[in-house]
Amino acid sequence: MINTKEFVPKFFDNSASNYDTIVSWTTFGKDRIWKRSIINKIKNPSSILDLACGTGILTKTLSETFPQSKIVGIDITKSYLDMAKVKLKSWENISLFLRDAENFHLDQKFDYIVSSYIPKYCSPKLIIKSCLEHLNPGGTVILHDFTYPKNPAIQQIWNFYFKLLRIVGIFLPEWRNVFLDLPSLIKSTTWVDEYIIEMSKNAFDTLIEYQRWKTACIISGRHHFSPE
Ligand SMILES: C[S@@+](CC[C@H](N)C(=O)[O-])C[C@H]1O[C@@H](n2cnc3c(N)ncnc32)[C@H](O)[C@@H]1O
């Protein structure tokens, strides 16, 4: 069985400097649209946690969209977080911390916990446990990541595209491992089903929204808080 956590240092230790460009370029700009879809689900937040905030692309847009909210970002990769700290240093409503999303403690709770591209690397059980520990009553979790398309014609295009990216990886050595190993990780992950099961078990109302051609998915879930 694949230990998905092992991919994280392999993929991210050396690639922070051009991550923003690469993610926009390799997704043909869809990354921005997916992040906008996450933001469109957020209503009147007083606080938002961005799990695995990376270089802070989503964190910054959250802060721009909700200037009155307190925005916190955490990430396990120091170079990514350092990049976010430089980019976002003038944003007073943002705080950033080096933390493992599967096991962390912050002294505050949030109305919304959002994340782009973390589900496939992490244990649903641990992520949902962390979310529950940091969610305000009735709070919402929104998770987004890649999925392997189900339509055979789209699969062919998808596979061909990753073959091209492997060639691009020859010229971008810091991205070679990602372009090589990401397709098999996306093909093997069952993150959508696993998170839905875990969230349903833990009293979340869940909604699954596949994105264009089912190459990505956004799961959202509001927690039913029952006072003890
Ligand atoms: C593809 S990047 C996405 C960054 C950002 N969410 C975005 O959408 O631009 C994946 C990020 O997940 C982070 N990550 C992976 N596993 C993590 C974990 N267990 N705890 C915190 N961050 C994690 C990596 O360090 C990396 O910054």
Side-chain angles (χ1 to χ4, degrees):
M1 208 169 121
I2 306 178
N3 177 2
T4 51
K5 231 176 144 86
E6 280 175 10
F7 286 104
V8 175
K10 205 172 155 191
F11 283 2
F12 300 115
D13 274 358
N14 300 310
S15 54
S17 62
N18 57 1
Y19 171 79
D20 295 13
T21 311
I22 295 291
V23 75
S24 168
W25 175 76
T26 52
T27 61
F28 302 103
K30 284 276 182 291
D31 178 65
R32 197 168 53 81
I33 293 167
W34 293 330
K35 286 180 166 61
R36 182 45 64 188
S37 302
I38 294 174
I39 288 173
N40 288 344
K41 297 181 162 300
I42 300 177
K43 309 283 175 239
N44 304 319
S46 63
S47 52
I48 308 170
L49 173 61
D50 184 5
L51 276 189
C53 61
T55 58
I57 304 175
L58 179 60
T59 330
K60 179 168 177 254
T61 317
L62 286 166
S63 175
E64 284 166 348
T65 314
F66 305 110
Q68 309 303 330
S69 306
K70 193 166 172 31
I71 316 288
V72 174
I74 67 165
D75 201 281
I76 202 170
T77 305
K78 189 172 178 312
S79 55
Y80 270 58
L81 199 72
D82 286 346
M83 183 65 70
K85 283 181 179 167
V86 170
K87 272 169 45 184
L88 306 177
K89 64 174 184 292
S90 58
W91 295 81
E92 287 179 2
N93 63 337
I94 299 179
S95 315
L96 300 167
F97 302 101
L98 189 65
R99 295 282 192 285
D100 182 346
E102 289 187 335
N103 181 16
F104 66 97
H105 176 73
L106 296 173
D107 279 333
Q108 75 174 107
K109 296 199 175 201
F110 301 87
D111 293 343
Y112 288 84
I113 299 180
V114 302
S115 194
S116 235
Y117 307 122
I118 203 185
K120 66 183 172 306
Y121 298 112
C122 290
S123 146
K125 207 180 248 322
L126 296 178
I127 291 292
I128 297 306
K129 181 171 176 284
S130 295
C131 288
L132 283 169
E133 285 167 3
H134 291 88
L135 210 54
N136 279 327
T140 297
V141 172
I142 307 170
L143 301 170
H144 155 242
D145 210 332
F146 293 117
T147 49
Y148 186 51
K150 295 187 169 51
N151 178 309
I154 305 295
Q155 284 179 352
Q156 291 216 358
I157 298 169
W158 191 97
N159 285 314
F160 177 70
Y161 179 56
F162 271 101
K163 281 195 182 128
L164 285 183
L165 284 181
R166 279 188 198 190
I167 298 168
V168 175
I170 297 170
F171 305 99
L172 289 171
E174 69 279 27
W175 287 96
R176 194 173 295 158
N177 287 331
V178 177
F179 296 156
L180 208 60
D181 292 337
L182 189 60
S184 48
L185 176 57
I186 296 172
K187 282 180 187 178
S188 65
T189 183
T190 50
W191 75 266
V192 174
D193 295 340
E194 290 177 38
Y195 278 82
I196 286 293
I197 292 170
E198 197 57 31
M199 288 169 81
S200 303
K201 257 199 248 167
N202 285 284
F204 283 89
D205 263 344
T206 53
L207 176 68
I208 305 176
E209 289 165 292
Y210 280 98
Q211 306 301 302
R212 175 79 71 90
W213 295 341
K214 295 199 171 178
T215 53
C217 185
I218 297 175
I219 294 180
S220 50
R222 185 165 183 271
H223 190 241
H224 287 295
F225 175 71
S226 52
E228 284 156 33

